[in-house]
Amino acid sequence: MGVGTELAPLEIPVTRTLIVSGAIASRDYQDVHHDAELAREKGSPDIFMNILTTNGLVGRYVTDHFGPAAVLRKVAIRLGAPNYPGDTMVLTGTVAEVQEGAASGSGHGSESEGGGATVVVRIVGANGLGKHVTGTVTVTLPSTPNPTSTPSRPSVSGRPA
Protein backbone atom coordinates (compact mmCIF):
# COMPACT_ATOMS: atom_id res chain seq x y z
CA MET A 1 0.00 0.00 0.00
CA GLY A 2 1.41 3.34 -1.00
CA VAL A 3 0.44 6.89 -1.80
CA GLY A 4 -2.23 6.88 -4.50
CA THR A 5 -3.69 3.50 -3.52
CA GLU A 6 -7.47 3.61 -3.90
CA LEU A 7 -9.78 1.97 -1.39
CA ALA A 8 -12.65 -0.05 -2.84
CA PRO A 9 -15.83 2.06 -2.99
CA LEU A 10 -18.57 1.46 -0.42
CA GLU A 11 -22.20 2.05 -1.41
CA ILE A 12 -24.47 2.99 1.48
CA PRO A 13 -28.22 3.13 0.81
CA VAL A 14 -29.55 6.21 2.62
CA THR A 15 -32.76 5.03 4.26
CA ARG A 16 -35.08 6.73 6.71
CA THR A 17 -34.13 4.07 9.23
CA LEU A 18 -30.41 4.83 8.84
CA ILE A 19 -30.98 8.58 9.21
CA VAL A 20 -33.28 8.32 12.24
CA SER A 21 -31.33 5.56 14.00
CA GLY A 22 -28.04 7.43 13.49
CA ALA A 23 -29.55 10.58 14.96
CA ILE A 24 -30.98 8.69 17.94
CA ALA A 25 -27.74 6.76 18.55
CA SER A 26 -25.78 10.03 18.62
CA ARG A 27 -28.46 11.72 20.78
CA ASP A 28 -29.17 14.31 18.11
CA TYR A 29 -32.90 14.87 18.52
CA GLN A 30 -33.21 17.83 16.14
CA ASP A 31 -36.46 17.44 14.25
CA VAL A 32 -34.80 17.77 10.81
CA HIS A 33 -33.32 14.30 11.37
CA HIS A 34 -36.58 12.47 12.15
CA ASP A 35 -39.69 14.54 11.30
CA ALA A 36 -40.25 15.09 7.57
CA GLU A 37 -43.05 17.62 8.07
CA LEU A 38 -41.02 19.82 10.41
CA ALA A 39 -37.96 19.46 8.15
CA ARG A 40 -40.08 20.78 5.23
CA GLU A 41 -41.33 23.68 7.38
CA LYS A 42 -37.67 24.59 7.89
CA GLY A 43 -36.96 24.57 4.15
CA SER A 44 -35.64 21.04 3.62
CA PRO A 45 -37.40 18.70 1.20
CA ASP A 46 -37.11 15.83 3.72
CA ILE A 47 -35.22 14.64 6.78
CA PHE A 48 -31.45 14.42 6.32
CA MET A 49 -28.47 12.63 7.85
CA ASN A 50 -26.60 14.29 10.71
CA ILE A 51 -22.84 14.82 10.78
CA LEU A 52 -22.26 12.30 13.56
CA THR A 53 -23.77 9.49 11.48
CA THR A 54 -21.65 10.54 8.52
CA ASN A 55 -18.56 10.64 10.75
CA GLY A 56 -19.27 7.11 11.96
CA LEU A 57 -19.77 5.82 8.42
CA VAL A 58 -16.48 7.40 7.31
CA GLY A 59 -14.66 5.76 10.23
CA ARG A 60 -16.28 2.41 9.45
CA TYR A 61 -15.23 2.71 5.80
CA VAL A 62 -11.58 3.16 6.74
CA THR A 63 -11.46 0.48 9.45
CA ASP A 64 -13.30 -1.99 7.18
CA HIS A 65 -10.47 -1.47 4.68
CA PHE A 66 -7.51 -1.62 7.08
CA GLY A 67 -8.93 -4.18 9.52
CA PRO A 68 -10.06 -4.34 13.14
CA ALA A 69 -6.58 -3.68 14.60
CA ALA A 70 -6.32 -0.31 12.82
CA VAL A 71 -6.69 2.66 15.18
CA LEU A 72 -8.44 5.83 14.04
CA ARG A 73 -6.31 8.80 15.12
CA LYS A 74 -8.13 11.68 13.45
CA VAL A 75 -11.28 12.08 11.39
CA ALA A 76 -11.60 15.55 9.84
CA ILE A 77 -14.67 15.92 7.64
CA ARG A 78 -16.74 18.65 6.05
CA LEU A 79 -20.35 18.23 4.94
CA GLY A 80 -21.69 19.37 1.59
CA ALA A 81 -24.86 18.15 -0.13
CA PRO A 82 -27.37 16.59 2.29
CA ASN A 83 -28.02 12.83 2.44
CA TYR A 84 -31.77 12.42 1.92
CA PRO A 85 -33.73 9.16 2.13
CA GLY A 86 -33.86 7.18 -1.09
CA ASP A 87 -30.39 8.22 -2.28
CA THR A 88 -27.15 6.23 -2.12
CA MET A 89 -23.90 7.60 -0.76
CA VAL A 90 -20.75 6.14 -2.31
CA LEU A 91 -17.64 6.47 -0.18
CA THR A 92 -14.27 6.45 -1.93
CA GLY A 93 -10.80 6.94 -0.53
CA THR A 94 -7.26 7.47 -1.70
CA VAL A 95 -4.11 7.05 0.38
CA ALA A 96 -2.54 10.52 0.58
CA GLU A 97 0.35 9.88 2.99
CA VAL A 98 2.15 6.92 4.54
CA GLN A 99 4.63 7.21 7.40
CA GLU A 100 6.22 3.83 8.06
CA GLY A 101 6.61 2.88 11.70
CA ALA A 102 5.48 6.33 12.87
CA ALA A 103 4.17 6.83 16.38
CA SER A 104 0.64 8.10 16.69
CA GLY A 105 1.83 11.66 17.20
CA SER A 106 -1.64 12.60 18.36
CA GLY A 107 -0.71 13.18 21.98
CA HIS A 108 -3.54 10.85 22.97
CA GLY A 109 -2.69 7.60 24.70
CA SER A 110 0.59 5.80 24.61
CA GLU A 111 2.97 6.70 21.82
CA SER A 112 3.76 2.99 21.50
CA GLU A 113 0.15 2.11 20.60
CA GLY A 114 -0.16 0.73 17.12
CA GLY A 115 3.50 0.88 16.20
CA GLY A 116 2.93 0.34 12.50
CA ALA A 117 2.51 2.76 9.66
CA THR A 118 0.39 5.88 10.00
CA VAL A 119 -1.76 6.42 6.92
CA VAL A 120 -3.75 9.48 5.86
CA VAL A 121 -6.68 8.74 3.56
CA ARG A 122 -8.58 11.39 1.58
CA ILE A 123 -12.28 10.58 1.67
CA VAL A 124 -15.18 11.60 -0.57
CA GLY A 125 -18.77 10.53 -0.03
CA ALA A 126 -20.96 11.40 -3.01
CA ASN A 127 -24.69 11.11 -3.55
CA GLY A 128 -27.11 12.13 -6.31
CA LEU A 129 -26.77 15.82 -5.36
CA GLY A 130 -22.96 15.93 -5.27
CA LYS A 131 -20.36 15.56 -2.56
CA HIS A 132 -21.97 14.86 0.80
CA VAL A 133 -18.70 14.59 2.72
CA THR A 134 -15.03 15.32 2.08
CA GLY A 135 -12.10 15.07 4.42
CA THR A 136 -9.20 13.05 5.71
CA VAL A 137 -8.83 10.15 8.09
CA THR A 138 -5.56 9.37 9.87
CA VAL A 139 -5.19 5.75 10.94
CA THR A 140 -2.36 3.83 12.61
CA LEU A 141 -1.89 0.27 11.47
CA PRO A 142 -0.59 -2.46 13.73
CA SER A 143 3.07 -3.34 13.43
CA THR A 144 3.81 -6.67 11.81
CA PRO A 145 3.40 -9.29 14.52
CA ASN A 146 6.39 -11.35 15.57
CA PRO A 147 5.81 -14.79 13.97
CA THR A 148 7.39 -16.58 16.97
CA SER A 149 5.11 -14.95 19.54
CA THR A 150 1.78 -16.40 20.57
CA PRO A 151 -0.90 -13.81 21.26
CA SER A 152 -2.70 -14.02 24.58
CA ARG A 153 -6.32 -14.98 24.00
CA PRO A 154 -8.96 -13.82 26.46
CA SER A 155 -11.00 -16.47 28.22
CA VAL A 156 -14.77 -16.37 28.35
CA SER A 157 -14.49 -14.00 31.34
CA GLY A 158 -12.50 -11.54 29.21
CA ARG A 159 -9.30 -12.02 31.24
CA PRO A 160 -6.21 -13.54 29.61
CA ALA A 161 -6.20 -17.34 29.91
Side-chain angles (χ1 to χ4, degrees):
M1 163 205 49
V3 172
T5 300
E6 293 184 12
L7 282 61
L10 175 63
E11 291 188 9
I12 300 172
V14 180
T15 64
R16 288 185 184 284
T17 301
L18 176 61
I19 293 169
V20 173
S21 61
I24 290 169
S26 60
R27 295 181 166 200
D28 183 348
Y29 303 118
Q30 290 194 23
D31 51 22
V32 295
H33 303 307
H34 66 84
D35 188 318
E37 185 178 327
L38 290 174
R40 282 189 288 277
E41 285 178 17
K42 293 182 177 181
S44 178
D46 206 337
I47 62 172
F48 54 91
M49 186 176 286
N50 72 352
I51 192 169
L52 296 170
T53 303
T54 299
N55 198 62
L57 292 169
V58 166
R60 168 196 158 197
Y61 174 59
V62 172
T63 58
D64 280 358
H65 177 79
F66 289 106
V71 177
L72 293 174
R73 297 294 179 186
K74 181 178 180 183
V75 179
I77 62 171
R78 175 170 285 184
L79 293 184
N83 262 343
Y84 292 120
D87 207 342
T88 298
M89 178 175 64
V90 179
L91 287 167
T92 57
T94 305
V95 173
E97 297 176 37
V98 178
Q99 296 177 354
E100 294 297 333
S104 71
S106 67
H108 302 296
S110 168
E111 289 297 316
S112 63
E113 288 177 25
T118 296
V119 179
V120 177
V121 181
R122 291 196 198 292
I123 300 292
V124 174
N127 61 30
L129 297 174
K131 292 180 181 177
H132 169 68
V133 62
T134 56
T136 59
V137 176
T138 304
V139 61
T140 301
L141 308 180
S143 57
T144 307
N146 181 342
T148 60
S149 69
T150 304
S152 173
R153 296 185 186 268
S155 67
V156 174
S157 70
R159 294 186 295 267

